Amino acid sequence: MAKVIPFKAVRPTRDKVSLVAARSYQTYTEAERESRMGYNPFSFLHIVNPGYRYHKDISGKDRYALVKNRYLEFKEDTIFIQDKTPSYYVYKIVNREGGIFSGIIAATSSEDYEKDIIKKHEDTIEYREQVFKDYLKTVGFNAEPVLLTYPDNATIANIISDIQKNRAEYEFTTTYRDTHYLWKLGDSELINTISNEFERMDTLYIADGHHRSASSYLLSKDLQSENDTHTGNEPYNYFMSYLIPESDLKIHEFNRLVKDLNGLTKEAFLIQLDMMYRIENRGSNLYKPNRKHHFSMYLDGEFYSLFLRKSNYEFSNALEALDTHILYKTILEPILGISDLRNDTRIDYSHGKNDLVTIKSKVDSGEFEVGFGLVPINVDEMKAIADNNLTMPPKSTFIEPKLRSGVTIYEF
């Protein structure tokens, strides 16, 4: 049922791909952006930050128009070229921890998103959807794929494996010491085989990129309404995705840090915790939980283990059983007074690729009063949330792989 099709990617030339590829704009500090743009005229950052040329911050519609101009300049200077025939793109990342991610970059259907064939597990913010939709409508391209996952499939896996025996079109290593590979898959017989395998799948799941998916869907509706000869085959009916099997997906936890105890003393806070948790003081030794419904806590120079008293908690659905939700419903909201996880400035998050030393150092510095460590959510939990039309609390998952912008570009 899932419609996954090849497309004609706009891509950097092989000699420049390592210079063009960039992380998401927001992940750089201002100093990092200035450095990279100052020394690398080919960085994709020059496209998404067009005001750099004028030493000025530019926002809104003016920025969108300049982004399009910079992109067209990269094409005019043949930094970017477009493939002549529709293709799939086999993409592999080997990260510095030894993790390997292999999948296919392709175009996926906005109609499938509307029909819930492509399922989500996170809420999106309408304002952000609209802003990014307007951005896409002006610039006319998408340079960062949505990350989708699908059930492991032997046929697709064998094709990917065979393709990877050939020389890669791209092979480059980032300053993060992650190595990226890309192979172009243009064989019509293999394309048909892959598309047919995806058509047999009832569901694809968004792992990362909920706002990009939603904005692409809104864009498709806009452009359909403006096109009197709409057929359904136009590029705007699709958005670029990186599809990987579930076994390749790596989900890290997001730990929580809170700036104060909501007016409670340490002793009063622990007494309230005791109503819902069995508490053990672990002293100064780092304690990391290793089971569902178990948490670590760092407070006043000491680690604690928190074991949920299940007799006092009701597991009524997939969301109620989720550790991030349990922490919210039993501690963050009722005891610490944090009801708005997105906007309350008293709470912050540290993803699990940072170890518990990060939590300890931030609490010891006085920046935060208490920190909580969780175990990662797994793929089955993520799917159960999506299948039941539920949504996780914000910052429930930190998902790998993370792709670079500008390696493949989808025009509509």
Side-chain angles (χ1 to χ4, degrees), residues 44-89:
F44 194 77
L45 293 174
H46 284 283
I47 292 177
V48 295
N49 187 20
Y52 177 82
R53 178 180 294 181
Y54 305 109
H55 308 287
K56 182 179 179 181
D57 288 331
I58 301 173
S59 60
K61 293 182 179 180
D62 289 341
R63 174 177 169 263
Y64 305 164
L66 289 177
V67 166
K68 183 173 184 178
N69 289 346
R70 295 293 170 274
Y71 174 66
L72 293 175
E73 288 170 7
F74 269 51
K75 291 182 72 174
E76 291 163 1
D77 294 340
T78 63
I79 299 167
F80 286 142
I81 56 173
Q82 185 167 27
D83 288 325
K84 298 185 182 303
T85 57
S87 301
Y88 288 131
Y89 301 89

Side-chain angles (χ1 to χ4, degrees), residues 47 50 63 76 112 148 162-163 179 186 214 221 229 288 291 293 296 304 322-323 332 370 402:
I47 292 177
R63 174 177 169 263
E76 291 163 1
D112 284 353
L148 300 181
D162 287 344
I163 290 292
T179 303
K221 289 300 183 185
T229 60
K288 183 177 177 64
R291 292 169 58 187
H293 316 324
S296 67
Y304 296 81
L322 206 65
D323 280 351
L332 298 179
V370 63
K402 300 293 185 187

Side-chain angles (χ1 to χ4, degrees), residues 345-363:
T345 58
R346 295 170 55 228
I347 189 169
D348 202 0
Y349 305 89
S350 175
H351 61 69
K353 291 198 76 174
N354 299 325
D355 58 26
L356 289 176
V357 173
T358 302
I359 288 180
K360 182 180 185 301
S361 63
K362 289 190 174 186
V363 173

Side-chain angles (χ1 to χ4, degrees), residues 175-195:
T175 53
Y176 268 29
R177 288 179 283 178
D178 298 339
T179 303
H180 296 242
Y181 305 83
L182 179 141
W183 293 262
K184 181 183 174 184
L185 195 166
D187 180 270
S188 58
E189 185 175 340
L190 292 178
I191 286 174
N192 287 335
T193 299
I194 291 171
S195 64

